[in-house]
């Protein structure tokens, strides 16, 4: 007999039992008192309740039935879209089990099943041209929930044929998402479930995703909803019977008391379940601090079993001495009802760990207003606080990076002016010796400043990176040969390179910069000598890697390990070591940009850094980089660059630069090189010059960052639409990678990085245009 039909028989039994009880009640009443009987209204009310109750019971069952169907039906199209978005259409019957797409889809199904208890099984099927229906992606499912996946619970392998007829499955292959209320029995059990088509890129149904809901649990849920109505009806009937008994005779009090007592028992049971399953630690303290209540979450957080703490004093066990004074203040405030209801406190677990808990406290008072106990709710927020601190540090570093990039960009304009005029001064043959010495000092200082701006751009990830597949071991072996000259004779260099490392995608010069900066810091931390260890290894991070470092990613990573035996870094300074201009060295012995540049390079390479240090025992820096996807290519010697054949001709250059000093320097330099120069301060003024002079403008020289709404690239695109043969020179304080994403130099366009010297400008422009600049044209 189908379960739904048997449940209707259950209500008939319930109604019969209710009627029999009322008959018995009337019989007892008549036996207890002569002439006593239930009022006629009670029987009318009984009939009305039983008739109306049948509809409510059936309605509850139907609502639960539809509720489950809606939940499962809502999942199916969502998961079908996720399957399509993650490449389900790429799967074929020949797809191997280790295919990344297939494995990713299996993992998605496992996660969905864990996250949604209503989805007892999730799988996809495809209908072949010969009419057969085969499984495509079917993850293992712990159907009985015992935590063990048996052979019968394993998912079907890709390509396995499914022969059980199902009308809902057929409708889904026709493009109709549906829920099939008809239970289907197969080798895995009896199911109802939802179907949804999985579309390919062309919008065709290439597969069907099914979500099974165990029919036994389905019927059990419907039965539970009906039973809840049964309880409500039973309670109502009990009240009616009790009222009839009270009207009919004094003994009706007994009938009225029974449902009340049952309700109290159930309420107490629910309260006990609430305490047991509460996600917060619940602790009730006596007035002297003894434990009166200790729920399972308190056991989990603090590690002490309930049996060990009930009736005992555990303040000294969970409150460290450093926090005891604050805890005592809170305790006295609660007893005096003057505060202490919420506070943060450090606590100690049974295994000795120190954690931070958030406490919510309230005094429990009797009817006379006296405090009889203290009720506390606590949650461990240690991990949350750590993640918040890491997030704040990450946001601060991002903000500093943006500031550093802006400073470096603007400073490059200033350095262009300083270096340019210094070179112009040095180019004067009649410059006095004293003036030449001063100009050389200016040029030297400007070059040092240019190095600092390059480090700032590296830290802020605005420096160009030219990554290619390389072997980290090869790069470190080459760096080790160079480090001998950097470290000195009193520092021993130890290399521990793990074999068979996968290649990484990296810029070799930037890797050299990382190793050099770290080695120099280690050298300065070991003035009396020591050991510098350079090591590599392959590590595997678990799924919860981000709890330790928010930038960490689960999976394999290639680790570069650099450690020294130096003086170490104090704990209060360790969080700041990657901030620009922060240094632990003496005044005048460090710029504070070395580690900042290392941080920027690692960020550009999509990696992360972990640093540990102990004062007096050294520092360890570990850099984790993602493995590359391409093999290392053999290097081929490049042909030497040769200048084009010079040609003597006078060209007109339109210079668009908003900084008037840089604009004057570029104009003076180009005119000295023999070029005819037109100038503009922004996009609109450049357009005005272009309208008048475009017939004789040969080259556009433009800065990238411009005011008044038009960037250098937009100006160039407008002019190139009129003159496709126009030569364009872009200049910027940022690298080409940042200022011009996707830019490629060609015969008609080039990029010039600021700061540049006049000679560099003229040489680069001459090579680009194929002319030989006249270095003394202005003097002529």
């Amino acid at each position: 007999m189908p379960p739904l039909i048997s449940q209707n028989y259950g209500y008939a039994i319930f109604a019969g039992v209710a009627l029999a009880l009322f008959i018995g009640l009337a019989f007892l009443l008549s036996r207890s008192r002569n002439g006593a009987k239930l009022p006629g209204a009670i029987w009318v009310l009984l009939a009305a309740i039983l008739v109306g109750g049948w509809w409510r019971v059936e309605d509850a069952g139907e609502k639960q039935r539809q509720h489950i169907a809606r939940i499962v039906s809502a999942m199916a199209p969502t998961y079908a879209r996720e399957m399509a978005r993650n490449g389900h259409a790429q799967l074929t019957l020949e797809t191997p089990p280790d295919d990344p797409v297939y494995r990713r889809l299996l993992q998605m199904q496992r996660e969905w099943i864990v996250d949604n208890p209503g989805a007892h099984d999730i799988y996809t099927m495809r209908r072949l041209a010969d009419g057969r229906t085969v499984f495509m992606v079917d993850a293992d499912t712990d159907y009985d929930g015992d935590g063990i996946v048996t052979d019968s619970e394993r998912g079907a392998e890709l390509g396995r044929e499914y022969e059980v007829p199902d009308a809902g499955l057929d409708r889904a292959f026709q493009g109709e998402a549906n829920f099939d209320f008809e239970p289907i029995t197969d080798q895995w059990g009896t199911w109802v479930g939802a179907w949804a088509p999985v579309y390919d890129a062309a919008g065709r149904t290439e597969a069907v995703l099914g979500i099974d809901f165990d029919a036994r649990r389905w019927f059990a849920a419907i039965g539970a909803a009906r039973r809840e109505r049964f309880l409500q009806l039973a309670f109502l009937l009990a009240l009616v019977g009790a009222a009839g008994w009270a009207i009919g005779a004094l003994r009706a009090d007994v009938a009225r008391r029974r449902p009340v007592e049952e309700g109290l028992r159930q309420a107490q049971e629910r309260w006990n379940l609430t305490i047991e399953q509460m996600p917060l630690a619940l602790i009730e303290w006596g007035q002297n601090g003894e434990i009166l209540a200790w729920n399972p979450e308190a056991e989990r957080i603090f590690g002490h079993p309930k049996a060990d703490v009930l009736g005992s004093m555990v303040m000294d066990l969970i409150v460290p001495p450093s926090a005891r004074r604050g805890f005592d203040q809170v305790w006295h405030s609660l007893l005096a009802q003057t505060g202490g209801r919420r506070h943060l406190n450090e606590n100690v677990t049974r295994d000795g760990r120190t954690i931070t808990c958030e406490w919510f406290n309230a005094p429990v008072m009797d009817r006379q207003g006296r405090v009889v106990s203290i009720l506390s709710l606590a949650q461990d927020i240690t991990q949350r606080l750590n993640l918040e601190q890491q997030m704040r540090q990450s946001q601060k570093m991002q903000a500093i990076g943006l500031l550093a990039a802006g400073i470096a960009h603007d400073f490059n304009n200033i350095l262009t002016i300083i270096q340019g005029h210094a070179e112009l001064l040095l180019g004067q043959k009649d410059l006095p010796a004293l003036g030449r010495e001063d100009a050389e000092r200016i040029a030297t200082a400007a070059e040092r400043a240019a190095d600092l701006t390059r480090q700032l751009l590296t830290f802020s990830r605005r420096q160009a990176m030219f990554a290619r597949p390389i072997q980290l071991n090869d790069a470190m072996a080459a760096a080790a040969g160079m480090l001998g000259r950097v470290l000195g004779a009193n520092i021993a260099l130890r290399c521990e390179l793990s074999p068979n490392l996968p290649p990484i995608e990296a810029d070799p010069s930037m890797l050299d910069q990382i190793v050099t900066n770290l080695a120099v810091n280690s050298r300065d931390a070991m003035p009396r000598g020591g050991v510098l260890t350079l090591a590599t290894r392959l590590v595997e991070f678990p799924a919860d890697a981000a709890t330790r470092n928010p930038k960490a990613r689960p999976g394999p990573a290639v680790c570069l390990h650099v450690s020294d035996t130096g003086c170490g870094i104090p704990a209060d300074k360790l969080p700041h070591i990657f901030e620009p201009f922060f240094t632990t060295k003496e005044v005048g012995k460090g710029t504070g940009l070395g580690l900042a540049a290392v941080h920027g390079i690692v960020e550009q390479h999509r990696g992360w850094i972990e640093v540990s240090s102990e004062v007096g025992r050294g520092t360890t820096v570990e850099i984790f980089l993602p493995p590359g996807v391409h093999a290392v290519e053999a290097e081929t010697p490049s042909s030497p660059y040769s200048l084009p054949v010079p040609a003597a001709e006078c060209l007109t250059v339109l210079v668009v630069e908003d900084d008037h000093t840089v604009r004057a320097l570029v104009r003076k330099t180009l005119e000295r090189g023999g070029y005819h120069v037109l100038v503009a301060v922004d996009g609109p003024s450049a357009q005005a010059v272009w309208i008048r002079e475009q017939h004789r403008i040969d080259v556009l020289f433009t800065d990238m960052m411009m005011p008044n709404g038009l960037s250098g690239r937009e100006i160039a695109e407008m002019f190139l639409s009129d003159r496709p043969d126009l030569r364009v020179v872009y200049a910027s304080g940022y690298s080409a990678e940042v200022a011009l994403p996707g830019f490629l130099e060609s015969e008609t366009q080039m990029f010039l990085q600021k700061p540049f010297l006049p000679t560099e400008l003229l040489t680069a422009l001459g090579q680009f245009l194929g002319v030989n600049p006249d270095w003394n044209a202005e003097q002529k």
Side-chain angles (χ1 to χ4, degrees):
M1 180 181 296
L4 285 176
I5 298 177
S6 65
Q7 289 171 0
N8 291 328
Y9 279 98
Y11 187 80
I13 295 173
F14 170 80
V17 171
L19 181 60
L21 288 175
F22 270 76
I23 294 174
L25 183 65
F27 176 77
L28 290 176
L29 182 60
S30 64
R31 293 293 301 268
S32 65
R33 290 192 179 187
N34 292 331
K37 62 178 182 179
L38 290 176
I42 294 296
W43 296 104
V44 174
L45 185 59
L46 172 63
I49 291 174
L50 291 178
V51 172
W54 175 85
W55 177 83
R56 290 183 60 82
V57 168
E58 292 304 311
D59 181 64
E62 181 62 20
K63 285 182 177 179
Q64 182 64 24
R65 180 172 178 262
Q66 294 295 333
H67 174 69
I68 294 174
R70 284 195 299 271
I71 291 176
V72 179
S73 297
M75 295 179 192
T78 300
Y79 292 163
R81 289 193 295 271
E82 284 299 303
M83 282 284 176
R85 190 174 66 84
N86 282 273
H88 186 280
Q90 301 175 18
L91 302 182
T92 65
L93 296 184
E94 288 75 30
T95 298
D98 60 347
D99 180 78
V101 175
Y102 180 70
R103 292 177 61 187
R104 181 171 67 249
L105 296 178
L106 278 176
Q107 182 61 28
M108 288 168 57
Q109 287 187 356
R110 297 188 189 104
E111 294 172 355
W112 292 338
I113 292 173
V114 171
D115 293 339
N116 297 281
H120 299 144
D121 193 12
I122 302 176
Y123 50 88
T124 60
M125 293 183 178
R126 183 175 291 168
R127 182 153 290 173
L128 306 181
D130 57 7
R132 290 184 300 132
T133 302
V134 298
F135 285 95
M136 295 303 293
V137 182
D138 185 14
D140 298 344
T141 304
D142 185 9
Y143 296 113
D144 55 12
D146 61 357
I148 302 174
V149 178
T150 62
D151 291 338
S152 64
E153 294 174 328
R154 298 194 181 280
E157 64 275 8
L158 190 150
R160 180 174 176 178
E161 185 174 358
Y162 182 74
E163 300 178 346
V164 179
D166 191 322
L169 176 62
D170 295 335
R171 294 201 304 272
F173 275 115
Q174 296 172 8
E176 176 189 349
N178 66 93
F179 184 94
D180 192 355
F181 289 94
E182 184 67 26
I184 298 297
T185 300
D186 55 26
Q187 69 181 75
W188 292 281
T190 302
W191 313 94
V192 294
W195 303 96
V198 179
Y199 299 108
D200 59 16
R204 296 184 298 267
T205 301
E206 60 94 5
V208 166
L209 180 136
I211 299 181
D212 285 347
F213 192 96
D214 192 339
R216 293 172 300 176
R217 300 188 189 181
W218 191 50
F219 292 130
I222 295 172
R226 293 165 57 86
R227 285 191 295 275
E228 182 179 0
R229 294 301 187 201
F230 278 133
L231 290 176
Q232 295 174 356
L233 289 175
F235 185 76
L236 181 60
L237 291 174
L239 291 178
V240 171
W245 183 274
I247 295 172
L250 183 62
R251 293 187 64 183
D253 294 339
V254 176
R256 187 171 56 251
R257 188 181 306 119
R258 289 175 180 172
V260 174
E261 291 176 351
E262 177 64 16
L264 290 175
R265 186 192 66 78
Q266 293 179 0
Q268 182 62 42
E269 183 178 352
R270 286 196 300 271
W271 171 245
N272 292 336
L273 290 174
T274 299
I275 294 176
E276 293 295 315
Q277 300 176 19
M278 183 179 294
L280 300 176
L282 184 145
I283 305 172
E284 186 176 3
W285 315 77
Q287 290 184 335
N288 298 321
E290 69 277 12
I291 297 299
L292 304 179
W294 184 271
N295 73 340
E297 185 65 13
E299 292 185 5
R300 189 193 67 80
I301 292 178
F302 300 107
H304 298 282
K306 180 179 180 179
D308 295 348
V309 299
L310 283 181
S312 61
M313 310 282 287
V314 298
M315 288 186 182
D316 293 335
L317 296 179
I318 67 174
V319 180
S322 60
R324 185 57 188 267
R325 181 177 180 182
F327 188 89
D328 290 341
Q329 292 176 351
V330 172
W331 181 260
H332 293 307
S333 298
L334 288 168
L335 291 178
Q337 304 180 44
T338 59
R341 291 183 175 270
R342 179 183 179 276
H343 69 102
L344 297 181
N345 200 73
E346 285 192 346
N347 296 104
V348 180
T349 64
R350 187 181 186 184
D351 57 7
R353 293 182 297 111
T354 299
I355 62 176
T356 301
C357 289
E358 184 175 18
W359 292 82
F360 302 89
N361 312 295
V364 179
M365 296 176 288
D366 59 15
R367 295 183 182 275
Q368 287 73 37
R370 295 172 298 188
V371 176
V372 296
S373 64
I374 301 296
L375 186 65
S376 298
L377 297 176
Q379 61 176 337
D380 181 3
I381 61 172
T382 307
Q383 180 177 336
R384 188 185 80 190
L385 293 178
N386 290 339
L387 289 176
E388 288 176 354
Q389 177 63 27
Q390 292 171 356
M391 183 58 67
R392 283 193 294 269
Q393 180 68 13
S394 176
Q395 291 174 342
K396 182 174 71 172
M397 294 297 287
Q398 291 177 1
I400 294 175
L402 291 175
L403 176 62
I407 292 174
H409 173 266
D410 293 342
F411 199 45
N412 275 337
N413 277 337
I414 300 173
L415 289 175
T416 300
I417 299 167
I418 296 173
Q419 289 183 300
H421 285 285
E423 184 176 78
L424 291 178
L425 285 174
L426 292 172
Q428 296 180 8
K429 297 180 179 180
D430 56 350
L431 184 67
L434 184 60
R436 181 173 298 277
E437 182 179 350
D438 291 338
E440 289 174 348
R441 289 176 179 172
I442 292 173
T444 302
E447 181 58 33
R448 291 178 58 191
D451 290 337
L452 291 178
T453 59
R454 279 190 287 271
Q455 287 182 306
L456 281 174
L457 287 173
T458 301
F459 162 74
S460 61
R461 290 176 287 166
R462 297 299 196 274
Q463 187 69 20
M465 181 178 74
F466 302 97
R468 59 181 176 84
I470 64 171
Q471 287 290 348
L472 183 60
N473 282 349
D474 295 342
M476 293 304 101
M482 175 268 296
L483 290 181
R485 299 186 296 273
V486 175
L487 298 175
N490 63 339
I491 296 178
L493 177 62
R494 181 189 303 164
C495 289
E496 301 174 357
L497 307 181
S498 297
N500 303 322
L501 290 180
I504 60 174
E505 299 279 344
D507 186 324
S509 64
M510 287 188 172
L511 284 183
D512 290 341
Q513 187 177 352
I514 288 176
V515 176
T516 302
N517 284 344
L518 294 179
V520 169
N521 279 352
S522 296
R523 178 198 65 190
D524 295 342
M526 299 183 289
R528 298 181 181 179
V531 178
L532 175 65
T533 301
L534 192 66
T536 60
R537 68 178 189 275
L538 181 66
V539 295
E540 183 77 22
F541 282 92
D544 60 347
T547 58
R548 183 177 67 177
N549 188 323
K551 296 185 180 297
R553 292 179 296 275
V558 179
C559 175
L560 169 59
H561 172 104
V562 181
S563 61
D564 61 55
T565 58
C567 59
I569 303 172
D572 61 326
K573 295 183 179 179
L574 198 60
H576 306 286
I577 59 175
F578 294 116
E579 298 175 5
F581 308 116
F582 178 85
T583 179
T584 59
K585 301 176 184 178
E586 299 176 10
V587 177
K589 291 190 176 181
T591 63
L593 286 176
L595 288 180
V598 170
H599 183 276
I601 292 172
V602 174
E603 290 277 301
Q604 278 188 276
H605 285 78
R606 298 183 297 109
W608 68 95
I609 307 176
E610 295 183 3
V611 182
S612 59
S613 183
E614 186 175 347
V615 175
R617 303 193 64 177
T619 301
T620 297
V621 179
E622 290 186 315
I623 297 173
F624 300 95
L625 301 172
V629 296
H630 302 292
V632 178
E633 299 179 357
E635 295 187 1
T636 56
S638 58
S639 59
Y641 180 80
S642 58
L643 292 176
V645 178
E649 58 177 318
C650 183
L651 301 176
T652 299
V653 181
L654 172 57
V655 176
V656 186
E657 169 64 60
D658 60 302
D659 189 301
H660 70 280
T661 312
V662 176
R663 187 171 63 250
L665 175 64
V666 173
R667 178 175 188 170
K668 184 175 183 179
T669 300
L670 294 178
E671 288 178 345
R672 177 171 290 187
Y675 296 96
H676 179 65
V677 181
L678 303 173
V679 296
V681 299
D682 56 18
S685 62
Q687 287 180 292
V689 175
W690 179 257
I691 292 173
R692 295 193 312 268
E693 307 287 349
Q694 64 171 294
H695 61 282
R696 64 189 190 96
I697 295 176
D698 303 292
V699 183
L700 170 63
F701 181 99
T702 178
D703 186 42
M704 290 305 303
M705 304 299 179
M706 302 291 294
N708 299 327
L710 289 176
S711 67
R713 190 165 201 169
E714 291 171 333
I715 295 170
E717 290 174 351
M718 292 173 59
F719 293 175
L720 286 170
S721 65
D722 296 334
R723 288 264 308 279
D725 61 334
L726 180 68
R727 303 289 187 95
V728 181
V729 179
Y730 299 103
S732 177
Y734 291 126
S735 65
E737 184 182 62
V738 175
L740 287 166
F743 173 77
L744 294 174
E745 289 194 347
S746 65
E747 294 181 354
T748 60
Q749 59 180 357
M750 67 168 289
F751 179 81
L752 192 60
Q753 172 81 54
K754 293 180 181 179
F756 48 77
L757 298 175
T759 52
E760 293 174 343
L761 170 59
L762 289 176
T763 300
L765 192 59
Q767 294 175 356
F768 176 55
L769 300 176
V771 301
N772 186 14
D774 186 350
W775 299 87
N776 299 305
E778 186 184 70
Q779 297 178 5
K780 295 178 182 179

